[in-house]
Amino acid sequence: MRSDPRATRVTPSSSIPVRVEAPSGARDQFGDEEVAQLLALRRELHRHPELSWKEYATSDRLAAVAESLGGVVVRVANTGVVARFRGEDPTAPVVALRGDIDALPIQEATGLDYASAVPGVMHACGHDVHATWAIGAAMSLTRRPARGDVLVVLQPAEEIGAGAPAILASGALDGVAAIFGAHVDRRFAVGQVVAEAGPLAASADAFTITLHGRGAHGARPHEAADPIVAAAAVITALQTIVARRLDPAVPAVCTVGSIHAGVASNVIPEQAVLTGTLRAMDAHTRQRLVDEVKRLAAAVADAYGVRADVTVEHGTPPIVNPAPQAAWARTAAANVLGDAAIVPFGITNMGGEDFAFYMERIPGCFLRIGAREAGGESVAAHSPRFHAADGAILVGAAVLAECARVASAALAEQR
Ligand code: NI
């Protein structure tokens, strides 16, 4: 029998061992029962993943847990949860911690005993751990509060870049003075933390090029305006944007990810459709990519006697951590784990992350939390074999809670 009545409300944990390989600085922040609860919650979320905007059970579960910990819970943005945890001083600036909660349409192949029970859906990006971090941070903050209130944000639909804008639009974060979030990363060992100023994730914009030609018999090409040949030329021309038009010192990506045209081997179709993704680390390069795709598509189409319609769907902006907030995050990580835990990113990450939308409105810092167990491999997120080591749960929870304390105290001093 468990004696702590609060513990029983969080999650049943009797079958979960509390032995977990994590640095003592993080492990010692939590009691055995709390560790067991967090591990069990993570496993439960991992076993029952839900896709973007479909996180109904996940959201209900997390809202109930946050409430059981004493959070004042509001449900926002469909499947979003924002829980307010009281600080020492109700007038002090408010800080937010964000954990994303959605899964991916991937068939899991980890072989874990808590692998997904939902065919074709998997927590392949570690958002099961991110959600658990947010709850773990809340646990820590109820015991040792920040100066001001802390909003724990359980955000849906990160994978489609839609959750963060919806949370912002709900108004739930109005007046928040700083925001912190993090991602698990198996390129780094459990206990290593990246918390640095500068670029951490790329912008991600999607383009569609529709080439309108004139269909004809495959044996009579002179009567056609062939959109397939034009598409081939457009794809080749797009490769020159990064290679020939942009500064080689500035990271950028232009990838054509799909091409659809035609239905039969002897028919020249009316149109061809290309879609692709554009990645950049700064606003100028981001705009250059869009401009060059439009210019080249139009010019090459014209050269081939077809017409190009180009549409661009703007996705997430880049994440560039500002120096003061990154310094708070580093202080927080060092407080929990010691200075040696803080490692340089050393990677140009062209992946997108919708945390960037918060950072357009609220200064903050996005961290990477090492998630590779001793002797483990560096498996990329979105792989069917991706999983984060248990130890990362305690590290992320402890570091994010400390980020809130450090930022909250610094902001209160600045008033
Ligand atoms: Ni992710």
Side-chain angles (χ1 to χ4, degrees):
M1 285 294 286
R2 285 176 295 262
S3 55
D4 178 357
R6 196 186 69 191
T8 60
R9 289 200 301 268
V10 174
T11 202
S13 57
S14 53
S15 63
I16 304 296
V18 295
R19 245 183 54 77
V20 47
E21 299 209 4
S24 57
R27 173 64 182 82
D28 296 350
Q29 304 280 320
F30 302 94
D32 284 354
E33 188 59 35
E34 287 178 331
V35 171
Q37 289 160 20
L38 291 173
L39 295 187
L41 177 63
R42 184 280 180 105
R43 280 162 164 69
E44 181 189 334
L45 296 175
H46 192 92
R47 203 166 153 68
H48 303 287
E50 295 177 300
L51 294 172
S52 304
W53 290 137
K54 303 242 161 61
E55 311 92 337
Y56 304 112
T58 304
S59 171
D60 285 350
R61 185 78 184 98
L62 293 168
V65 176
E67 209 147 56
S68 78
L69 293 170
V72 178
V73 171
V74 289
R75 310 293 291 268
V76 298
N78 189 26
T79 43
V81 175
V82 177
R84 179 179 287 262
F85 290 86
R86 289 284 166 218
E88 291 165 343
D89 173 0
T91 70
V94 176
V95 173
L97 301 177
R98 175 275 219 164
D100 39 4
I101 67 173
D102 54 328
L104 284 160
I106 292 176
Q107 179 64 41
E108 179 155 354
T110 59
L112 291 166
D113 56 7
Y114 57 91
S116 172
V118 184
V121 183
M122 174 191 177
H123 270 297
C125 201
H127 298 187
D128 51 334
V129 172
H130 302 172
T132 308
W133 281 344
I135 295 298
M139 266 179 188
S140 174
L141 287 164
T142 54
R143 232 180 307 104
R144 205 152 53 86
R147 184 80 70 88
D149 288 0
V150 175
L151 298 184
V152 169
V153 181
L154 295 150
Q155 182 213 298
E158 192 285 324
E159 293 294 355
I160 57 171
I167 297 271
L168 285 167
S170 79
L173 303 193
D174 289 359
V176 167
I179 186 163
F180 297 86
H183 208 291
V184 288
D185 195 327
R186 284 187 62 91
R187 289 171 293 202
F188 302 96
V190 169
Q192 293 183 314
V193 174
V194 176
E196 61 190 27
L200 206 90
S203 59
D205 299 321
F207 65 85
T208 300
I209 301 172
T210 305
L211 297 166
H212 301 279
R214 192 172 58 255
H217 196 295
R220 302 183 63 79
H222 56 290
E223 292 173 358
D226 189 341
I228 289 183
V229 174
V234 167
I235 292 167
T236 305
L238 293 180
Q239 309 315 306
T240 64
I241 298 174
V242 173
R244 303 287 90 179
R245 302 293 294 172
L246 298 180
D247 182 340
V250 176
V253 175
C254 172
T255 290
V256 176
S258 81
I259 167 166
H260 288 97
V263 290
S265 61
N266 59 353
V267 178
I268 294 169
E270 289 278 324
Q271 64 176 43
V273 181
L274 313 176
T275 67
T277 186
L278 302 173
R279 307 295 172 111
M281 286 292 188
D282 64 86
H284 172 74
T285 307
R286 187 182 186 190
Q287 187 59 49
R288 274 302 292 283
L289 285 169
V290 170
D291 293 346
E292 288 293 310
V293 166
K294 288 182 174 170
R295 190 181 69 81
L296 278 173
V300 174
D302 187 53
Y304 281 74
V306 304
R307 182 172 56 81
D309 279 339
V310 182
T311 57
V312 175
E313 200 181 312
H314 288 287
T316 56
I319 292 184
V320 182
N321 285 334
Q325 288 71 21
W328 292 338
R330 269 199 310 284
T331 300
N335 288 353
V336 174
L337 302 161
D339 287 331
I342 300 165
V343 295
F345 194 30
I347 294 160
T348 302
N349 174 29
M350 302 312 285
E353 160 62 57
D354 88 346
F355 192 82
F357 287 113
Y358 298 118
M359 301 250 293
E360 286 188 323
R361 298 251 301 265
I362 306 166
C365 184
F366 195 71
L367 301 85
R368 311 289 297 195
I369 304 286
R372 191 182 73 238
E373 62 283 340
E377 281 177 77
S378 170
V379 182
H382 295 208
S383 157
R385 280 168 298 283
F386 181 84
H387 74 284
D390 282 341
I393 297 169
L394 305 184
V395 172
V399 169
L400 285 172
E402 188 65 8
C403 281
R405 290 186 199 100
V406 170
S408 186
L411 287 161
E413 295 307 318
Q414 285 173 9
R415 277 187 298 179

